[in-house]
Amino acid sequence: MAVLNFLEAVRETLRAEMRRDKDVWVVGEDVGKKGGVFGATLGLFDEFGDQRVQDSPLTESAIVGVGIGAALYGSKPVCEIQFADFIFPAFNQIISEAAKMRYRSDGDWTVPMVIRAPFGGGVHGGLYHSQSVEQYFTSTAGLKVVVPSTPYDVKGLLAAAIRDPDPVLFFEHKGLYRAIKGEVPEGDYIIPIGKADVKRDGTDITVITYGKAVHFCLEAAEELAKEGHSALVLDLRTLLPLDREAIMTAARKTGKVLIVHEAGKTHGIGAEVAALIAEECLFDLDAPVQRLCGPDIPAMPYAGPMEKFYMLSPEKCLEAMRTLAQF
Amino acid sequence: MPQLGESVTEGTIGKWLVNPGDQVKKYQPIAEVITDKVNAEIPAPQDGTIVSFAVAEGVTVKVGTLIAMMETGAGTGSAAAAQPTAPAAVGGPVRASSGPAAALAPAPSPGKAAAAPAPLAAAGSATLDRAEAGGGARYSPAVMRLAQEHGIYLNRLKGTGLGGRITRKDVEAYIASGAAAEPAPQAETALQAAAAQAPGSAQTASPAPAASPVPQPMAADQVIPVDAVRRRIAEKMLQSKHEAPHAWTMMPVDVTGLVKLKEQLGEEFKRREGISLSYVPFFIKAVVEALKEQPIINSQWAGDKIIIKKEINISIAVATETALAVPVIRNADRLSIAGLNHAVADLAGRARAGKLTLDDISGGTFTVNNTGYFGSAMSAPIINHPQAAILSFEAITKTPVVMENDAIAIRSMMNICMSLDHRILDGLVCGRFLQAVKSRLQGYAAGTVQLY
C-alpha cells in the first residue's frame, strides 16, 4: 500500500497497464520525452519507447482519430488531450465515430480506447484551461464518461477504462492532481465503471456530486456535522452510465437531495440526476431537489475574484447543505 | 382565506365588496367573511387590481385557500415599467392555484413579486432560502405518504423544519413514538382521503376508520341543517374531548355571605351603574386570584411542553337560544368587581346580538361557566380547547348544612365543578385551586369586598 497523489495514481496505473498488456499505448501532445504537460506520462517514454509513447501534433482530431483507427486495428490506445478545453476539435471523431462504431457495425467492430483529459477550474487557468466539458458527452449513448475523485478510484477506474471494450472518456480534475493524496493498493484491482460510491454516510441530507466537488462536500459535511446535521455524500464516479440504483437508494434514505457540480447548471448532470429522482423517488422526497452548480456563463473568468465567484467552495457547499438540512 | 383568529379554520365569503377589474387600495375591504363566531372584512393586501374571484359568495373554504387573484404594481420607479406585473394571492399565500413550478418554491412575498431573480444567482446556487410563512399546511410527498400509510392527522404534529414545516423526520419520529397508533376521528380524515388520490399510492392506503351509521330522518322528523356555528361547536367539543383526557371534581361552597352581600349592594349598584350586579364578577374575581396562587391551572398543553400563560384572560360561556359563545375578558386580574360586571354584561350582550369581534373570542386562558344561571346543580363541562381547565358555578340553593358546632343551619350552598386536562393537571393542584376559589367565595361578606 502506497500513498500516492492523484497524478501519481494516473501515472502508475498507466505504467502497470502498459506492463500488463503490450497492446496498451499512449498518444498525445508532449506525452513522450516531456512526460506530458502535467507529468502524467513521466518516465513512460524511457520505459516503453517511442512506439508505445507517441507524441502527436497539436491536432486533437488526429489524436482521437489515430486512436480510433488503432483501436479498430486491435490495440488499446490511451489518448491524452492536454486540456479538456481542447477536446472540441476531436468532438466529431468521438461522437460520430467512436461512440457509434459498435452500433453501426452491429457489434463487429469496437473501439477499446480511453481518452484522458484534465478538466476543471480554480487553478487560475482562465477561459481555455478551466472548462468542465463532461456535459457535452454525457448525452451520447455509446460513450462511457468517468470522473474519479480519489487516487484509489483513479487506479481502479483507469484500469477498468483501459480494459473496457468501448470508448471511455476519463476526465481528471486538474485541481486534484497534486492536492489530493490517498492510499492506493499495489496489487491489481478494478472498480467497475457505472458504480457510484458513498464517500460519507449520513441520515439528514443526501449530496450527490463528483470530481473535485466531492472534496468540497466532504469538508462541508464535517462542518455540518458539528451543527448537528448528518450528510450522506455520494460520489457518482461514472456519469455515463449513471448508477441509478445508488442514486435512488441515497435519495430515498434522507428524502432531501442536493446535487453539486462545477459544470454549469442548465442541462447539467444535476438535471438528469434530479429527473431520475423525480421519476422514481417522489414519494420519498421531503424537499425540492436542489442543485449547486457553476453559473450559466460562457466560461471560467480569469480575474481572481471572478474565478472565486464562479468556483464552488466548501463554504458554498456548506451553505447549500445547511439550508437543505434546515428545510 | 386569511387566518381570522387562532381557532378559526375556515370562513365563508359573505359578500364580495369589489368586482373583478376594480382598482383597490391597500387595506380597502374587499370581502365580508363569516366565520363560526365573527364576521369580518378582508382588507386588500396592497394596492392593485382585482383580477378574479376563486370563491363565490356563500362558499366556505379553509384558511389558506386562494380566494381571489389581484394584480399588483411592479415595485417602484423604472422597474414598474420594465417588469411585467405578477399576480399576488389575496388573503394569504398562494395555494391551490399554484402550478407545479410554484409548488416547489415558496410563493414570493408581495414586495418581491415583480422582481425577477438575478439569473446568475439563480443558476449558481441552491434556492431554498425563502421560508414559507406558516409552512405547516404544505406537505412534502414523503410526509403525505407516511401520514397516509400510518393514518396520521398531520395537524397534530409540530414541525421542526423551516417556518415550522413538518419534515419527514418529524413524521418518522411521531410514528416511532407510537402516537400514530391512535385512531383519527372522522373529522380528521379529510387529509388522508386527499392523500389517497395521489397516483401510485392507492395500494398503500390504510383502511379508513369504520364510520358509525348516519341516522336517517323519518317522515315526520324535523331536520335542522348544521350551520357553520353548530359544526364548529361540534368540532371543538370533539377535539377537546378527544385530545384532552378529562378528569372531573366538585366542591360544595357556602355562599351565604355572598348572597347577602349582593342583596345589600345590588340596588345601589344598579342605580349607580345602570346594570344589574350579578354573581359572575365575584366568581371571576375568586378565580383570577386562585389562578395567581396556582398558575399551572392557567396553562396549555403543547405536545412536548406545557405553556403557562402569563396573561389571565377569562373566557365566559354565554348561551344563546341556539348556540354557545365564549368571549374573553382580557387581563381579568386587572379589573375590579364592578369592572368585571361591566365586561361580562358587555360581552354577553354582544354575544347574544351576534356582534362579537375576533379579539373578543381570542386568547382565553381559563373558562368560567355560569351553569347556575339555568338552574344546574352539577355539570361536567368540556374544556375549552386548548385551555387546561374549566370551572362551572352551579345553582345557589338553600340547603340544611351541619355547621362546625354540629348545629344544623339553612345555608346558601353552591357546587363548583371543574373539568381538567389530566395531561397537565393532577388532583392535588386542582384541589388546592378549588380550595382557593372556595375560601374566597366563602369570605365574601358585607365589608370584606370592594366593588370598585
Side-chain angles (χ1 to χ4, degrees):
Chain A
M1 190 87 92
V3 173
L4 302 181
N5 69 26
F6 195 94
L7 184 66
E8 289 163 345
V10 172
R11 187 193 303 137
E12 293 315 310
T13 307
L14 286 173
R15 191 193 309 278
E17 288 300 299
M18 291 175 79
R19 284 177 182 169
R20 186 188 58 78
D21 183 349
K22 63 175 177 40
D23 286 336
V24 178
W25 63 289
V26 301
V27 56
E29 293 158 10
D30 300 324
V31 299
K33 269 209 174 303
K34 179 171 169 58
V37 72
F38 289 101
T41 54
L42 210 59
L44 299 186
F45 181 88
D46 293 336
E47 181 172 347
F48 301 104
D50 62 2
Q51 291 302 295
R52 294 183 68 193
V53 185
Q54 290 194 17
D55 278 329
S56 74
L58 296 182
T59 313
E60 287 76 12
S61 58
I63 297 171
V64 175
V66 164
I68 292 169
L72 291 173
Y73 195 70
S75 76
K76 292 169 183 169
V78 179
C79 306
E80 180 178 305
I81 303 295
Q82 200 165 72
F83 288 88
D85 310 63
F86 307 134
I87 202 168
F88 299 112
F91 198 70
N92 181 56
Q93 292 292 333
I94 297 168
I95 304 297
S96 299
E97 306 296 341
K100 290 173 177 51
M101 193 62 72
R102 177 188 283 276
Y103 187 81
R104 74 174 175 161
S105 68
D106 196 17
D108 288 345
W109 296 85
T110 65
V111 179
M113 170 183 68
V114 175
I115 301 171
R116 291 180 43 248
F119 80 105
V123 295
H124 210 43
L127 281 66
Y128 297 109
H129 298 80
S130 303
Q131 295 177 49
S132 295
V133 302
E134 60 273 20
Q135 295 173 180
Y136 296 106
F137 298 98
T138 45
S139 57
T140 299
L143 296 178
K144 295 185 172 104
V145 180
V146 176
V147 187
S149 67
T150 66
Y152 177 89
D153 289 352
V154 162
K155 178 168 174 180
L157 286 166
L158 185 53
I162 289 170
R163 298 174 203 184
D164 196 277
D166 292 297
V168 178
L169 292 170
F170 195 85
F171 290 117
E172 301 155 11
H173 198 294
K174 66 178 86 71
L176 296 175
Y177 270 157
R178 290 179 172 82
I180 295 296
K181 290 191 170 72
E183 296 278 353
V184 180
E186 273 160 25
D188 183 62
Y189 68 91
I190 65 157
I191 294 170
I193 290 173
K195 289 288 171 206
D197 184 38
V198 175
K199 286 285 193 280
R200 179 191 176 103
D201 206 354
T203 55
D204 294 336
I205 63 167
T206 296
V207 183
I208 300 177
T209 182
Y210 63 90
K212 188 169 184 183
V214 170
H215 299 280
F216 293 154
C217 292
L218 288 172
E219 204 178 318
E222 278 296 310
E223 285 302 309
L224 195 66
K226 292 177 195 162
E227 299 173 13
H229 302 296
S230 158
L232 185 160
V233 179
L234 182 72
D235 178 3
L236 289 173
R237 298 201 295 199
T238 301
L239 305 185
L240 189 67
L242 279 173
D243 188 346
R244 293 166 56 92
E245 287 305 319
I247 291 168
M248 290 187 281
T249 302
R252 287 190 176 119
K253 180 158 186 191
T254 69
K256 289 180 169 182
V257 180
L258 170 70
I259 303 156
V260 181
H261 55 68
E262 184 179 321
K265 186 176 197 173
T266 302
H267 296 293
I269 307 302
E272 182 59 33
V273 172
L276 171 66
I277 292 168
E279 285 171 347
E280 303 290 344
C281 309
L282 178 69
F283 296 106
D284 294 288
L285 287 183
D286 195 33
V289 175
Q290 298 293 296
R291 288 181 287 166
L292 176 67
C293 310
D296 289 320
I297 59 174
M300 179 81 65
Y302 179 74
M306 291 303 287
E307 184 184 60
K308 202 172 161 191
F309 162 79
Y310 187 112
M311 279 297 292
L312 297 175
S313 66
E315 293 73 29
K316 288 179 187 177
C317 293
L318 177 61
E319 195 187 336
M321 288 159 69
R322 183 192 292 128
T323 303
L324 183 59
Q326 290 172 346
F327 180 74
Chain B
M1 177 62 60
Q3 182 84 36
L4 290 171
E6 61 192 13
S7 68
V8 176
T9 57
E10 61 182 32
T12 307
I13 300 292
K15 188 167 192 294
W16 284 108
L17 304 174
V18 292
N19 293 308
D22 284 2
Q23 297 267 353
V24 294
K25 288 272 173 209
K26 191 174 183 180
Y27 302 132
Q28 177 184 338
I30 58 170
E32 283 177 7
V33 170
I34 304 161
T35 71
D36 50 0
K37 287 185 181 158
V38 294
N39 301 342
E41 288 178 340
I42 299 182
Q46 56 187 306
D47 294 355
T49 307
I50 301 293
V51 176
S52 61
F53 298 146
V55 177
E57 288 180 359
V59 174
T60 305
V61 293
K62 293 211 172 305
V63 167
T65 305
L66 177 88
I67 57 169
M69 298 288 289
M70 66 181 285
E71 228 167 45
T72 60
T76 55
S78 60
Q83 301 283 358
T85 56
V90 174
V94 176
R95 296 268 186 233
S97 73
S98 304
L104 292 186
S109 62
K112 291 179 185 165
L120 290 186
S125 63
T127 50
L128 275 179
D129 51 341
R130 282 172 296 179
E132 182 184 0
R138 179 178 287 161
Y139 305 116
S140 73
V143 166
M144 288 291 277
R145 178 179 58 78
L146 287 169
Q148 177 200 338
E149 285 174 0
H150 296 270
I152 294 167
Y153 180 50
L154 288 167
N155 281 8
R156 289 182 184 168
L157 272 70
K158 267 256 180 287
T160 61
L162 192 64
R165 189 185 74 94
I166 293 170
T167 67
R168 189 173 102 172
K169 281 187 174 275
D170 293 334
V171 183
E172 287 166 350
Y174 187 76
I175 293 166
S177 75
E182 300 165 21
Q186 287 299 303
E188 299 179 350
T189 55
L191 170 65
Q192 297 164 37
Q197 292 166 12
S201 61
Q203 73 278 8
T204 54
S206 58
S212 52
V214 176
Q216 295 302 319
M218 307 286 277
D221 294 349
Q222 185 191 359
V223 176
I224 302 168
V226 174
D227 62 14
V229 174
R230 196 72 243 167
R231 186 148 46 86
R232 184 67 186 141
I233 292 171
E235 283 168 6
K236 277 213 81 168
M237 294 298 177
L238 187 64
Q239 181 185 22
S240 178
K241 266 286 190 184
H242 181 83
E243 288 183 17
H246 283 55
W248 183 84
T249 180
M250 182 182 90
M251 206 172 272
V253 182
D254 183 342
V255 289
T256 311
L258 175 59
V259 171
K260 281 188 185 146
L261 179 72
K262 182 167 167 282
E263 278 170 11
Q264 284 172 7
L265 301 177
E267 215 162 305
E268 166 68 14
F269 186 87
K270 173 123 193 195
R271 195 162 50 241
R272 194 165 154 179
E273 302 294 332
I275 56 170
S276 298
L277 180 62
S278 90
Y279 287 116
V280 177
F282 294 94
F283 300 159
I284 295 173
K285 191 79 183 162
V287 163
V288 296
E289 286 172 8
L291 286 175
K292 290 204 161 173
E293 278 182 29
Q294 307 292 340
I296 186 72
I297 307 283
N298 198 51
S299 68
Q300 294 174 358
W301 180 262
D304 58 346
K305 53 189 170 288
I306 292 165
I307 300 165
I308 296 182
K309 305 299 286 182
K310 174 93 166 95
E311 289 188 357
I312 295 179
N313 300 332
I314 299 296
S315 305
I316 51 170
V318 178
T320 67
E321 284 306 315
T322 54
L324 176 69
V326 197
V328 178
I329 302 172
R330 292 182 175 275
N331 297 305
D333 53 325
R334 297 181 195 163
L335 294 179
S336 63
I337 299 270
L340 288 168
N341 199 79
H342 277 288
V344 170
D346 169 54
L347 289 172
R350 285 196 289 126
R352 294 191 180 108
K355 297 222 160 111
L356 290 173
T357 67
L358 272 171
D359 275 354
D360 291 333
I361 61 163
S362 308
T365 60
F366 184 90
T367 298
V368 165
N369 196 14
N370 183 26
T371 45
Y373 176 75
F374 47 79
S376 166
M378 197 188 291
S379 66
I382 293 176
I383 298 164
N384 185 7
H385 179 87
Q387 299 170 12
I390 182 169
L391 189 56
S392 283
F393 293 80
E394 307 292 344
I396 297 169
T397 320
K398 286 196 171 175
T399 312
V401 175
V402 180
M403 305 299 283
E404 273 184 23
N405 57 4
D406 283 357
I408 291 179
I410 305 298
R411 306 291 294 180
S412 292
M413 297 301 292
M414 173 179 74
N415 291 326
I416 54 177
C417 300
M418 181 176 183
S419 291
L420 52 119
D421 183 344
H422 219 321
R423 293 175 301 181
I424 306 176
L425 303 174
D426 299 315
L428 183 63
V429 70
C430 292
R432 285 181 182 147
F433 171 75
L434 287 178
Q435 286 288 356
V437 174
K438 176 180 176 173
S439 74
R440 277 167 180 76
L441 291 175
Q442 298 197 152
Y444 287 137
T448 64
V449 59
Q450 295 282 330
L451 288 192
Y452 296 96

